[in-house]
Amino acid sequence: MDIVIPLFDRFEPLDAIGPYEILGYVPGARVRFVATEPGRVTDTLGALAVDVPTRYSEVDSCDVLLVPGGGGTRPLVEDAGFLAWVRRMHETTRFTTSVCTGSLVLGAAGLLKGLAATSHWGVVADLEAYGARYTAERVVRQDRIITSAGVSSGIDMAIGLAALLTDDLTAQAIQLVTEYDPQPPFDTGSVAKAPAEVLERVRTLG
């Protein structure tokens, strides 16, 4: 089972690494990273550098395509070659998925027109501009396309995807081995719950 995650400069680290941690436990799965060119890519926070050995153009097909988000998706939505590759991969994937603003890449590739989809709450207008119908759900499945909301939701999506690729028992075992049992200290993890002063502070975080 071939699971491919494209990386790019200014990728959001948890978008990629969270699902990688989960899907790496799927029996028989190979998870690999690809990039525009072989070499080092750096996350959006600037301290995590990943050496990626494989060009995306060297990959002709995969079982699962998972597109993470981050500031680096802005150039990707204008990259005709990369978008053509995404469309080509989607033709034969079992599942085409995204985390956070990775859904904008799927939208720019024309894969979300008329479909319900989600993304980070800060890019709703951008997502809808590609013809998607935004929903505030944390994970949205439309047949072979699965989108997830901001950053941490990629872990939820990956556990659900693990169940689709194997079975519920295996996915539950992966959830246990990673001890994914969230108990956040604050109940401000969605824009619907956060008070105005928290939303205001978000604007100062970079």
Side-chain angles (χ1 to χ4, degrees):
M1 186 185 304
D2 192 18
I3 300 172
V4 171
I5 304 175
L7 293 185
F8 41 86
D9 280 325
R10 295 186 298 125
F11 73 93
E12 188 68 44
L14 190 59
D15 286 10
I17 303 304
Y20 165 65
E21 174 76 20
I22 298 299
L23 297 173
Y25 283 103
V26 170
R30 173 182 66 161
V31 184
R32 53 180 172 151
F33 297 109
V34 299
T36 301
E37 295 293 337
R40 181 164 294 183
V41 296
T42 304
D43 77 307
T44 195
L45 300 175
L48 178 64
V50 181
D51 289 317
V52 182
T54 306
R55 289 182 178 89
Y56 73 77
S57 58
E58 297 173 3
V59 177
D60 295 322
S61 64
C62 60
D63 295 290
V64 175
L65 177 66
L66 191 153
V67 183
T73 56
R74 295 298 180 179
L76 288 183
V77 299
E78 305 292 338
D79 186 332
F82 183 77
L83 297 178
W85 177 79
V86 169
R87 286 190 292 270
R88 188 164 66 252
M89 293 301 100
H90 177 63
E91 289 176 0
T92 57
T93 59
R94 289 178 64 183
F95 295 100
T96 299
T97 71
S98 66
V99 183
C100 196
T101 56
S103 61
L104 301 183
V105 176
L106 301 188
L111 302 185
L112 300 181
K113 290 179 180 177
L115 298 183
T118 192
S119 192
H120 190 278
W121 55 266
V123 297
V124 172
D126 299 293
L127 181 66
E128 291 182 334
Y130 292 118
R133 293 182 285 107
Y134 171 75
T135 171
E137 293 176 38
R138 196 159 166 84
V139 178
V140 178
R141 180 184 176 192
Q142 298 276 271
D143 192 24
R144 295 191 299 118
I145 296 179
I146 306 173
T147 56
S148 55
V151 190
S152 63
S153 66
I155 298 175
D156 296 42
M157 185 273 290
I159 292 173
L161 179 59
L164 292 171
L165 295 172
T166 57
D167 52 66
D168 287 357
L169 181 60
T170 301
Q172 290 173 50
I174 293 171
Q175 182 174 352
L176 179 57
V177 77
T178 58
E179 203 167 351
Y180 181 60
D181 186 24
Q183 299 174 31
F186 306 105
D187 193 23
T188 56
S190 79
V191 71
K193 299 175 181 178
E197 59 267 29
V198 174
L199 291 171
E200 184 63 29
R201 182 58 62 89
V202 165
R203 299 186 178 94
T204 72
L205 296 182

